[in-house]
């Protein structure tokens, strides 16, 4: 209901109604498909289609390979009005590609290399990237289990002012 959306997102009734009208104008079926999302994302972020899939899957909360208005509104709320912890959780969920509640070094490396391969101007040295990821893991993986949990990720980001500042302004459309 409108009340549920308003209380969950802190958007006003008028904002939700207007966004819903715009959403349906752009998506008459009431759903955003992966292909439509990639097209929209590529208009905003050229060379970003590899990462667009990860973002799409993060926004698709019920796993039906589409984003409905509720999922869209929640994603918009987090990216535009969310607290740092909420944005960090969103980033964590993008990196946790198998959705098991942990980020592995392999998942982190896959995100970096798949995204960089699409940006052909950027050469990615996997061994250098892996060394950087290992350094991040040494700082964040406090229980040394070779995985980063959501709690470790948030705490690690909060302990690194550069990372925390980056995600306070996290620019997801």
């Amino acid at each position: 209901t409108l009340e549920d959306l308003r209380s969950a997102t802190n958007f006003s009734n008028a904002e939700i109604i207007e966004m819903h009208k715009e959403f349906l104008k752009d998506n008459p079926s009431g759903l955003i498909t992966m292909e439509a999302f990639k097209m929209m994302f590529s208009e905003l972020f050229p060379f970003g289609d590899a990462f667009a899939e990860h973002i799409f899957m993060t926004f698709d909360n019920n796993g039906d390979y589409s984003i409905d208005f509720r999922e869209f509104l929640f994603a918009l709320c987090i990216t535009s009005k969310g607290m740092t912890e909420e944005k960090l959780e969103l980033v964590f969920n993008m990196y946790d590609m198998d959705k098991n509640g942990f980020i592995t070094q392999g998942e982190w490396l896959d995100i970096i290399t798949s995204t960089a391969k699409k940006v052909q101007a950027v050469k990615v040295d996997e061994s250098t990237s892996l060394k950087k990821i290992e350094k991040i893991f040494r700082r964040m993986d406090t229980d040394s289990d070779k995985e980063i949990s959501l709690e470790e990720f948030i705490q690690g980001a909060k302990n690194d002012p550069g990372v925390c500042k980056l995600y306070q302004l996290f620019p997801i459309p």
Side-chain angles (χ1 to χ4, degrees), residues 23 29-35 37 56-69 71-72:
F23 182 86
S29 70
L31 300 171
I32 301 173
T33 64
M34 171 88 74
E35 289 308 310
F37 187 83
F56 180 89
M57 296 308 290
T58 301
F59 291 168
D60 177 19
N61 292 324
N62 63 4
D64 66 354
Y65 298 98
S66 62
I67 297 173
D68 61 25
F69 180 69
E71 291 167 324
F72 171 80

Side-chain angles (χ1 to χ4, degrees), residues 106-123:
E107 285 172 320
W108 208 310
L109 185 61
D110 285 348
I111 292 279
I112 291 169
T113 55
S114 69
T115 303
K117 283 177 185 172
K118 294 292 183 174
V119 184
Q120 296 167 353
V122 176
K123 298 287 184 197

Side-chain angles (χ1 to χ4, degrees), residues 69-127:
F69 180 69
R70 181 180 201 82
E71 291 167 324
F72 171 80
L73 193 64
F74 285 6
L76 186 61
C77 176
I78 291 170
T79 59
S80 65
K81 295 183 172 191
M83 303 297 291
T84 300
E85 288 86 3
E86 293 170 310
K87 291 179 182 185
L88 288 170
E89 183 173 350
L90 183 66
V91 172
F92 176 88
N93 289 332
M94 284 181 216
Y95 279 67
D96 179 16
M97 295 167 60
D98 64 6
K99 306 298 179 213
N100 70 347
F102 298 94
I103 301 172
T104 64
Q105 289 182 10
E107 285 172 320
W108 208 310
L109 185 61
D110 285 348
I111 292 279
I112 291 169
T113 55
S114 69
T115 303
K117 283 177 185 172
K118 294 292 183 174
V119 184
Q120 296 167 353
V122 176
K123 298 287 184 197
V124 175
D125 176 357
E126 282 195 28
S127 65

Side-chain angles (χ1 to χ4, degrees), residues 124-133:
V124 175
D125 176 357
E126 282 195 28
S127 65
T128 302
S129 296
L130 185 56
K131 286 178 184 168
K132 289 179 182 178
I133 292 167

